[in-house]
Amino acid sequence: MFYRISAGVAVCSMVLFAAPSAHASDEDFELWLNPAIAFDLDEDTAFELETAQRLRDSENGRADTYFVRAWLAQELADNVALAGAVERRINDGGSDELRTMQQLSTSHGILRTRLRLEQRFVEDRGGRMGLRLRPRLGVNVPLAERLSVKADAELFWNLRATGSGGDTGITGLRTQVGLGYALSDNLDLGLTYLRQQDFEDDGPDEVGHAPLIGLTYTF
């Protein structure tokens, strides 16, 4: 138990200290909410309806964002799951978006990995499909029967821009550290600090700091 907690603390520290950029940055405070419901279709298949409300300071140019996302997940083994989703995303001020995505998740002791591929269709971009890869590495360390600490770091890698002349390559880094608590057999609560850094070539990086409150009910 001591080993698991020590490893978790070490990874959490790396997640926090890996985030700072060598460049100047514009810092903003945000609030992210992430309620979801899920239910099992059979022993190996699950459906989840995930929503998010990301509230930002519009005076700094970052619009509030809302999305609803439907997931279908298949457990391939005890530590491997494959999932696909369709998402409708609304951005205040326009440029709403439709996304489809596929992801592979694995667990190895306290380690967690996730590889997500997104196809993005943004309004007013002429129907061009953007393609983005999002690899994520993290830990999930049990602290008590219902309590765990979690941390992860995720890169945003644009393989194809959503518009002509758009950015490609690694465009952002998201880091998270938080706690997960099972309120009951069906209800899970997550309290997380999230840092989102968007890399900018021609100016200071945009950095958002957000408490992320997640609530998932499983039928």
Side-chain angles (χ1 to χ4, degrees):
M1 180 66 176
F2 174 77
Y3 167 76
R4 289 187 298 171
I5 293 176
S6 299
V9 170
V11 174
C12 290
S13 300
M14 287 189 291
V15 166
L16 285 173
F17 288 105
S21 169
H23 305 285
S25 59
D26 289 333
E27 311 274 336
D28 292 320
F29 180 80
E30 307 173 4
L31 173 63
W32 291 23
L33 306 174
N34 192 199
I37 58 172
F39 57 88
D40 293 333
L41 300 178
D42 58 37
E43 290 185 356
D44 301 319
T45 310
F47 174 82
E48 181 179 9
L49 188 64
E50 178 187 5
T51 68
Q53 302 79 41
R54 299 176 178 176
L55 309 177
R56 302 180 169 108
D57 184 358
S58 59
E59 293 182 359
N60 292 327
R62 296 174 63 88
D64 291 347
T65 298
Y66 310 90
F67 73 68
V68 58
R69 180 187 293 165
W71 284 101
L72 187 64
Q74 178 72 38
E75 188 174 316
L76 303 180
D78 290 341
N79 64 336
V80 181
L82 182 66
V86 177
E87 173 193 304
R88 177 60 174 170
R89 179 173 296 239
I90 306 297
N91 297 304
D92 278 356
S95 296
D96 297 338
E97 189 173 340
L98 176 69
R99 293 184 187 179
T100 57
M101 58 193 72
Q102 307 80 40
Q103 74 177 30
L104 183 69
S105 304
T106 69
S107 61
H108 313 272
I110 66 170
L111 294 178
R112 301 290 184 270
T113 70
R114 189 186 77 185
L115 184 63
R116 177 181 294 178
L117 180 65
E118 298 178 326
Q119 299 81 42
R120 305 173 60 203
F121 302 88
V122 180
E123 291 182 358
D124 306 323
R125 302 281 176 90
R128 177 185 171 96
M129 182 189 76
L131 196 61
R132 184 164 68 183
L133 194 64
R134 294 171 53 176
R136 188 173 83 176
L137 175 65
V139 294
N140 186 335
V141 183
L143 299 179
E145 183 179 357
R146 292 180 176 269
L147 181 67
S148 62
V149 61
K150 303 176 182 181
D152 61 63
E154 179 178 18
L155 289 174
F156 292 73
W157 184 4
N158 277 352
L159 305 176
R160 187 172 191 262
T162 56
S164 178
D167 292 336
T168 57
I170 296 176
T171 60
L173 170 67
R174 177 179 296 172
T175 52
Q176 302 181 74
V177 177
L179 295 173
Y181 185 73
L183 297 173
S184 69
D185 292 339
N186 301 96
L187 189 61
D188 294 320
L189 173 67
L191 300 175
T192 302
Y193 162 70
L194 181 147
R195 185 183 188 276
Q196 175 75 41
Q197 181 170 350
D198 297 328
F199 304 139
E200 302 291 342
D201 293 332
D202 55 356
D205 291 350
E206 293 183 356
V207 178
H209 304 272
L212 170 60
I213 303 172
L215 199 63
T216 301
Y217 186 85
T218 303
F219 291 92

